[in-house]
Every structure is written in structure tokens, then in C-alpha cells.
Amino acid sequence: AILAATLVGALTWPGSTEADVIRPSERFRVSDEGEVVRIPARVIEMRGGPADAISAPTVCPDSFDVQHYELHLNPVRSTSTLEGTAIITIESTVDGLTGVQLALRDLVASSVERAGNALTYAQVGDVMTIDLDTTYDTGGTFAIEIVYSGTPDTESGGFGGFWFFPFPITDFSMGVGLNATPPSMGRYWFPGVDAPCDKATCDIYVETNGPKTAVSNGALISVTTDSTGRKTHHWQETHQIATYLMSISVAKYTAIPDTANPLITYYVHNDLVPVAAGTFANVPAMMTHFESLFGPYPYDKFSYVTTPIGDMEHQTCVSHSTALMSGTTANDDILAHELMHQWFGDLVTYEDWREVWLSEGFATYGEALFVESQSGAAGYRNYVTNQLMAPYLGNAANLTYPIYDPTFKWGTVVYEKGGVVLHMLRKVMGDTAFFAAMNGYLANHAFSTAGTGDFQAACETEYGSSLAWFFNEWIYTGGHPVIDWTWDYAPNGPDYDVSLGIVQTQTVGPAAYEMPVDFKISGVGTDTTVTVWMNAATQTFPVSVPFEPTSVQFDPHNWLLDEAAFVPTGVGGGVPVATAALESNRPNPFNPLTAIPFHLPAAARVSITIHDPAGRLVRTLLDAEQIPSGSHLVPWDGVSDTGADVASGVYFYRMLAGEKIETRKMHLVR
Ligand SMILES: [Zn+2]
């Protein structure tokens, strides 16, 4: 779910610490009968709601399971009321079932029956308790018919619920609340088990007046017209669907079949028809790409349906904000996000709300996958860096909570960081295993629900060993690595020994992240990339290259979500440190006098020696002398221990202070 709305000023959610993401767009003034008027404005995509009062999952009943919803709905715009009849088929999962509890909010039942027998029921708050007229044992099924009506509500803050929207005139439901606990909003327009863990099938019949079209989930079975001209649209979803993914949208829509893909139809407010082709130009390519990655589109149709609020990944009928109907492909990221949800979120649904990254993180990563199909690897990396990593790193101090059971369900940690985690998992596993795991996860849990453990298991099947370390540090723990890295080299016969150093200094998250990290080592007209396995707070990796290195790049393809800084300390295999104790000699180059500065955080026995490039000792300046804490300078006059002036060239100076060894390079030019 993404909230995109035209707003004049900045908007913040109470309690949210997250920055709004502002996207340039245009505002459309749309009247039911009139023309499209474009007003320059800003589209604010906003996802951060206040912290939920309860982070516990919505628990599905353990005594029964909803099999099917048959909903007959009549939104009455003149009174902003909804008249409905719900026929709910239920299977008992215990012996001796005597009653059920369903969720229904603000709407009032006038009768509840089973097979023509009136049932006793009570509504308290959102809970509707129904006593059955007979008991059912495990596997026994029955249908309850509930007639209800009332004024449906929307959540405070303005996304989820059931809307009678004035502009453009649209009666529609939005399946999740951004600041409601639990977020599922099926109960705002029909009675049911309103939790993602209980999926069912549905037939939805919607009455409209003549010029209006009702769009809902699944296939359009029929449109019938009565003698007064009122129409009933019958939509049928024969695939399992969660209540938060069910929806209806009623407006004066034009149905526009996609010219390239017969599965796709756009339902667009009549006034927006002129901008539809430009807005949806890349949708067939998106569909083709996602099908190539994740298998055939699993449902009977796919639609974007324009609604005054959006976007929301309702199964087979995405609600797409009228504010994003720009007539250009500028909002392809959101279109790709919602299409990706049809596999991740809809086909496989998270089993409870703590797992929401399995939907939103994956859909956000789908944006990058679509960019990759359009713009190649460079475009993909650019998107990951600027659209996924940057929003997180730019506000990381406020985003220290884990992806699993997040403080904010609709925030940067779940969306952008969740997407980056998949990017990093792809690096760890390699493309073949990564996409095989994504498909294995879909195949194992299609039309059902899953948790992070199920996804981890699918990944481990392809990877061939445990990935607990990866999921622990990235999903169940907040934070990211903060890295000081360094390098230097020394000749070794015809080759060169290169020393690559990493120090992790993060204060949030694990003391040491475990990840593969690339270093690109470049020489004149040549380069090589080596991958090291980072798994400790301080590490040095020796490698050998057959050319003299001139530069080294850390993580050149930006696989790692981190803050990394080059620290010029440590050469020739010396251990790098975050705060250099041995500093650069000055002047350098020198002739023949130079000074070697060093800093001690505490008193220590210190040796400082000078070596030639082959490692031979040239001069001992300090020999295990007790030195107090603080900053010090040791001079060298270019003379060896034997009293000879040494030749021009590269020399190394090495400090042993307590347990610590550091080495640096200097250049004598006579
Ligand atoms: Zn989403």
C-alpha cells in the first residue's frame, strides 16, 4: 500500500519520525461530468503512521475457517450508507462447534440466518458473536446469511476503510489502514474473519445506477440490468484471497483493454481516459518481465482502477491514485510495485502483520527489478542506491528498529530497507539460486500464507546451507554496518601483496556483520575484483595481484547497505584501526629529515623501526621504550643503524605499541 495524494503543504503523521517522500507530479481536477484540469502540485507519498498500540499479530480462530464470501452490496451515495447481504460459508475445524465470532465495524446487522433459521447474535464493538442452531464437528460446513447496513467509516488519517468520495465521485474500499491496529479493513464493509491468515474465495455483486461501473476482484461474470436501469456487476474470485485484498470501486469508469495483453484492463474515470495510454504505456512490459521472473500471472485478470486515494494492491484490481495519472511513465515505480504485489502479498500473503516486509519489501524490490529490465544493471544499481538505500541511510538514526515486527509497518525500514535486504541476499546467493528461491517460496505457499521462516527455508534449499546469520542480522535486528576500510600494498617478487582492511564501528545492530564484500583493485590498464568474507569487527585480507595497484574501490557495485569510509592507515599487512595511532610522516617525500607522529591513547612500550621494501630492518628509532599517553614525534635523518646515508626510495616505518602493529610508507628523494 502506498498513499499518494495531492496535497498543497507538507503532511506528517502524529508520532511519525519519518520524512515524507515528495515526488513531482501534477494534480488533476476531475469532475464527474466536466473536463480534466491540470493543477501543478506535489504528490506526497507517505507511509509512516504512528506506532501501533498493539504489535501482537491478529490471531485467526482455531475453531473454524471461512471458505467463501458471497457479498451483495449496494452503496447508497445519497445517504452515504452501505446495504449488504453476506453469505459466508464456514468449515468447522473442531468437534462440537457451537458459535463463531466475526469482525464488523460501524455496520449493523438486521438479521442473521442459517438455512432459513434465525440465529441469535450480538454486536459489541467490532466483534459480532453468532450462536449456531446446531453443532458442527471437524469438517462440517454451513453458511450464515447476514443482512446488514449502516454508514461505513474510514480510518482517522485518511487511507483505509470505505469511502463515498466527492471528487471525483467514487464509492470505494481501501483494504488496509495505515494507522489502525490491526490494519485489515475488510470489517469496514463486510462481516468476516478480517485477518490475513484466513484466506477464502469470493463472489461479489455490486448494484450501481446506470452510468456507473463497479470493479472488484477476479473475473467479471455478468452485468445485469433490471427494469429500472439499475445494474448489478458480478465479480468472482475463485483463488484464495485475504480480506484486506478484497475491494470494490464504483464510479463512471471507462474500461480500456490493454492492446498488448488480453489479461489487462484499465478502469479509468471517464475524464482520465485521455491520459490512460501514456500512464500505463509500460504495464505490458512490466507484466512480461515479472512473469519471466516469477511464473505466469496467477489470476483471471489484472486491472489498475483509478481511485481518489491510492495505491493499494487489491488482488487483480489495484487501486491507482488519480493523482498519479500523469499521462507519462513517471510513476512506473508505483505501478511496478503494485503489480509485484500480485505475487508477493497477494499470491503468497504474510501470515500475520509482523511479517509485512514479505509484501512491502518485496514489492519495493520489484520496482528495482523492473528498472533492471528497462535500463540494465547500471540502472538497477542506481535505483537501489538512490531510491532504496538513500532514504534509509538519510534517516538511519530514526530507523533503528528491525524489519520483523517493525515499529512502523508502512515505513522506510519495511519498504526500502526490506527491498535492499533482497538486493543483498541476491549478492550472497547469486542470481540463479536467488531467483530459484523466490520461485520455490511462491510454489510452496501459492494461494496461501507464509512467514519469514518459510522464505528463509526456501532460500536455504537453493543456497545449500544455513542463512540464519543473514536473516538474524538483517531481518530480526535493526541497524547496518558502519565501516572504515583501508588498503596498501608491497612488492613481492614479480607480484604485489595487497592488504585490504575492514573495521566495523556501528553502535546499532550486531557488533560485526557477516557479508561478502567486493574490492576492485585497479592498476594501469587493468583491474581485478576480489570478494572477501567480512565476519569480524576488525579484519585484514591479504591478496596477491600480478600488477602494481594504483587504486582500490570498496564495494564498487554497492551491494552492501552500509556507511563506508576510506581510512588511510595500515600498509603491508598492518592491522587497520578506526583511529590511527601511527600517522603520516611529514614532510613526505623528504630529504633527508622527516618526523613520524604517533598517538597513544594510554602509556605503552613502543618500538618504531624503518624497513626497506623487502622488509629488511634499516634503522631502529625506538626500542620497546616506555612512552606516556598523548601525541609524539620521532625524527629520522635518513641514516641507517650502521651510520650510512640510505638511498632514495620507498621505506616503511613500523610501530609496535603494546599488542598493536601499524606500518606506513614514506618516500626519500635525495
Ligand atoms: Zn506496497
Side-chain angles (χ1 to χ4, degrees):
I2 290 175
L3 169 54
T6 51
L7 296 166
V8 175
L11 203 63
T12 53
W13 292 89
S16 172
T17 55
E18 300 201 21
D20 296 337
V21 178
I22 300 171
R23 295 168 188 271
S25 185
E26 289 182 305
R27 180 177 177 182
F28 286 79
R29 176 186 294 166
V30 185
S31 74
D32 221 26
E33 319 292 344
E35 295 176 349
V36 178
V37 181
R38 297 181 187 191
I39 304 169
R42 295 182 302 165
V43 172
I44 296 186
E45 179 195 311
M46 187 178 45
R47 310 195 194 102
D52 292 316
I54 304 165
S55 63
T58 309
V59 178
C60 278
D62 55 11
S63 59
F64 67 95
D65 181 28
V66 173
Q67 303 291 305
H68 186 73
Y69 294 96
E70 180 181 323
L71 305 180
H72 298 263
L73 300 165
N74 179 21
V76 183
R77 188 170 184 87
S78 58
T79 54
S80 294
T81 55
L82 186 63
E83 298 172 352
T85 299
I87 302 167
I88 306 174
T89 304
I90 293 172
E91 179 179 332
S92 177
T93 57
V94 294
D95 289 340
L97 181 72
T98 58
V100 297
Q101 285 193 328
L102 304 174
L104 183 64
R105 185 182 184 88
D106 295 321
L107 305 170
V108 179
S110 55
S111 79
V112 179
E113 294 183 352
R114 186 202 64 82
N117 297 327
L119 301 182
T120 306
Y121 66 95
Q123 284 184 264
V124 178
D126 286 5
V127 179
M128 182 173 193
T129 302
I130 300 170
D131 299 326
L132 297 172
D133 57 336
T134 181
T135 61
Y136 291 90
D137 288 340
T138 303
T141 61
F142 53 96
I144 295 175
E145 180 171 328
I146 301 169
V147 179
Y148 63 99
S149 64
T151 303
D153 203 0
T154 58
E155 64 163 332
S156 61
F159 188 79
F162 195 95
W163 295 85
F164 291 96
F165 210 86
F167 186 76
I169 291 173
T170 315
D171 311 335
F172 66 103
S173 64
M174 292 297 283
V176 295
L178 298 186
N179 51 4
T181 297
S184 200
M185 296 251 148
R187 70 187 67 190
Y188 280 61
W189 56 289
F190 66 93
V193 173
D194 194 19
C197 40
D198 189 350
K199 296 171 83 167
T201 53
C202 62
D203 280 89
I204 298 180
Y205 300 77
V206 186
E207 279 186 51
T208 71
N209 64 19
K212 290 186 178 175
T213 298
V215 186
S216 187
N217 310 100
L220 180 60
I221 301 301
S222 63
V223 182
T224 56
T225 307
D226 71 11
S227 57
T228 69
R230 290 186 64 76
K231 288 190 295 192
T232 298
H233 289 73
H234 173 199
W235 293 87
Q236 182 176 69
E237 179 51 284
T238 60
H239 306 91
Q240 296 286 308
I241 181 172
T243 53
Y244 83 93
L245 296 170
M246 293 165 65
S247 87
I248 64 169
S249 298
V250 180
K252 290 180 180 175
Y253 286 128
T254 299
I256 306 173
D258 188 90
T259 52
N261 188 326
L263 268 179
I264 304 172
T265 301
Y266 310 102
Y267 290 90
V268 174
H269 286 89
N270 292 346
D271 300 326
L272 291 172
V273 168
V275 293
T279 302
F280 299 121
N282 285 333
V283 170
M286 273 172 212
M287 179 66 86
T288 299
H289 186 58
F290 288 152
E291 288 191 317
S292 76
L293 293 177
F294 305 120
Y297 177 75
Y299 304 113
D300 297 321
K301 73 140 185 324
F302 180 68
S303 292
Y304 294 101
V305 186
T306 55
T307 47
I309 294 171
D311 279 27
M312 177 64 206
E313 66 271 21
H314 298 123
Q315 189 163 305
T316 75
C317 51
V318 169
S319 298
H320 185 59
S321 170
T322 52
L324 300 179
M325 294 294 290
S326 65
T328 73
T329 56
N331 298 304
D332 273 0
D333 54 345
I334 291 180
L335 294 174
H337 177 109
E338 304 303 335
L339 180 55
M340 181 78 167
H341 267 310
Q342 301 300 309
W343 284 266
F344 297 96
D346 295 9
L347 179 61
V348 178
T349 306
Y350 39 82
E351 59 198 10
D352 71 58
W353 295 98
R354 295 172 298 185
E355 308 271 13
V356 67
W357 86 281
L358 292 172
S359 177
E360 297 301 353
F362 283 58
T364 304
Y365 188 59
E367 301 167 21
L369 291 175
F370 176 65
V371 170
E372 184 176 18
S373 74
Q374 297 283 99
S375 308
Y380 164 84
R381 290 196 292 265
N382 183 53
Y383 194 88
V384 169
T385 298
N386 295 314
Q387 302 300 324
L388 305 190
M389 290 181 174
Y392 166 78
L393 292 171
N395 194 24
N398 291 318
L399 302 175
T400 57
Y401 55 86
I403 288 173
Y404 177 79
D405 197 8
T407 304
F408 295 98
K409 290 181 178 62
W410 318 102
T412 306
V413 167
V414 168
Y415 283 66
E416 280 83 2
K417 189 182 179 189
V420 172
V421 166
L422 293 173
H423 167 74
M424 292 190 289
L425 187 59
R426 182 176 175 180
K427 166 64 175 174
V428 170
M429 298 178 68
D431 273 19
T432 302
F434 173 75
F435 286 106
M438 296 279 271
N439 279 282
Y441 167 74
L442 289 172
N444 292 342
H445 306 285
F447 307 109
S448 185
T449 59
T452 299
D454 297 315
F455 179 61
Q456 181 180 329
C459 292
E460 289 173 342
T461 296
E462 299 298 331
Y463 187 59
S465 63
S466 173
L467 286 163
W469 56 272
F470 181 91
F471 283 82
N472 285 340
E473 67 189 14
W474 290 114
I475 301 298
Y476 298 109
T477 309
H480 61 274
V482 179
I483 291 171
D484 290 327
W485 67 275
T486 191
W487 73 284
D488 215 313
Y489 74 99
N492 182 1
D495 296 328
Y496 291 82
D497 291 336
V498 179
S499 171
L500 306 169
I502 291 175
V503 177
Q504 300 188 43
T505 65
Q506 62 273 1
T507 56
V508 177
Y513 280 84
E514 179 171 357
M515 278 295 284
V517 177
D518 293 342
F519 284 88
K520 182 180 179 184
I521 304 169
S522 298
V524 176
T526 185
D527 65 69
T528 186
T529 296
V530 298
T531 303
V532 303
W533 201 267
M534 176 178 83
N535 60 5
T538 300
Q539 284 176 291
T540 303
F541 303 95
V543 298
S544 179
V545 295
F547 56 85
E548 182 168 17
T550 55
S551 69
V552 172
Q553 251 185 301
F554 175 83
D555 190 21
H557 287 163
N558 210 10
W559 283 107
L560 185 62
L561 178 65
D562 65 351
E563 296 172 70
F566 172 69
V567 177
T569 178
V571 294
V575 175
V577 291
T579 305
L582 183 62
E583 294 161 13
S584 296
N585 64 302
R586 43 184 194 259
N588 187 43
F590 62 97
N591 177 25
L593 190 65
T594 190
I596 298 168
F598 65 96
H599 180 84
L600 297 178
R605 289 205 173 275
V606 176
S607 297
I608 292 184
T609 48
I610 310 291
H611 302 261
D612 69 13
R616 288 183 291 259
L617 179 64
V618 172
R619 175 78 181 268
T620 299
L621 298 174
L622 293 176
D623 186 11
E625 293 182 31
Q626 184 70 27
I627 306 288
S629 66
S631 295
H632 307 276
L633 275 176
V634 178
W636 184 42
D637 53 8
V639 173
S640 73
D641 277 335
T642 61
D645 289 343
V646 301
S648 293
V650 170
Y651 293 86
F652 294 87
Y653 54 103
R654 173 169 297 170
M655 178 178 74
L656 172 64
E659 299 287 287
K660 190 151 146 282
I661 298 173
E662 275 193 83
T663 306
R664 284 177 163 273
K665 190 166 64 174
M666 59 184 169
H667 205 171
L668 173 60
V669 182
R670 289 195 185 270

